Amino acid sequence: MQRRCNRNRKRSQRRKIYCPIHGCYLDSVSQKFYLYADTPGQLQARGVSSRNARMLLAQQQAIPLSDEWLEAFWCQECHQKTWYRIRKRNHIYEVSSVPPEIWQQVTGVIYPDHNPSVSEFTQRQVKKLGYHTSKDFR
């Protein structure tokens, strides 16, 4: 039997997202970056019929998927930041690693495994937030 104060609690609880390796709680260190579907095959893989998938994509170029996103988490056991693909189904979070092709379905995220044809200087400039980047040119 639960205590009365616990039963009447109306505040939101912590998201139950656990490390797939260690089973400990994961702490979020980034915002959510939602996935988009831009081909009928991607929608069909998520349970939409082929006819409905083609009709949806004829109306819009890309369909935002509100129940799937990428997010970076900090694991207390590993002591490192890792990107995971999160799927929310019936208030249950499924955590999986991010395959390389998924990075192309997300906007606003820099691919963590850098493109080898891009220099370190360019990568550093992309990550900077401020406008005072002339110090690197001296």
Side-chain angles (χ1 to χ4, degrees), residues 27-100:
D27 297 319
S28 177
V29 292
S30 76
Q31 65 184 35
K32 294 179 184 179
F33 293 98
Y34 287 97
L35 296 175
Y36 292 88
D38 57 357
T39 63
Q42 293 169 347
L43 289 174
Q44 289 174 12
R46 290 164 176 84
V48 178
S49 68
S50 62
R51 181 173 181 251
N52 288 341
R54 283 182 277 132
M55 287 178 60
L56 284 170
L57 289 172
Q59 294 172 358
Q60 301 175 8
Q61 287 185 337
I63 307 296
L65 304 172
S66 61
D67 59 347
E68 291 187 37
W69 65 88
L70 298 183
E71 193 171 353
F73 290 97
W74 176 261
C75 178
Q76 294 293 333
E77 299 289 327
C78 306
H79 296 292
Q80 64 182 2
K81 179 179 85 168
T82 310
W83 285 89
Y84 288 110
R85 177 183 184 181
I86 309 295
R87 293 182 189 154
K88 185 177 179 182
R89 309 265 192 250
N90 299 329
H91 302 288
I92 297 173
Y93 296 95
E94 298 174 13
V95 180
S96 62
S97 61
V98 183

Side-chain angles (χ1 to χ4, degrees), residues 13-25:
Q13 300 294 315
R14 184 176 180 181
R15 291 186 299 172
K16 293 185 169 113
I17 299 178
Y18 300 100
C19 178
I21 300 167
H22 302 105
C24 60
Y25 271 116

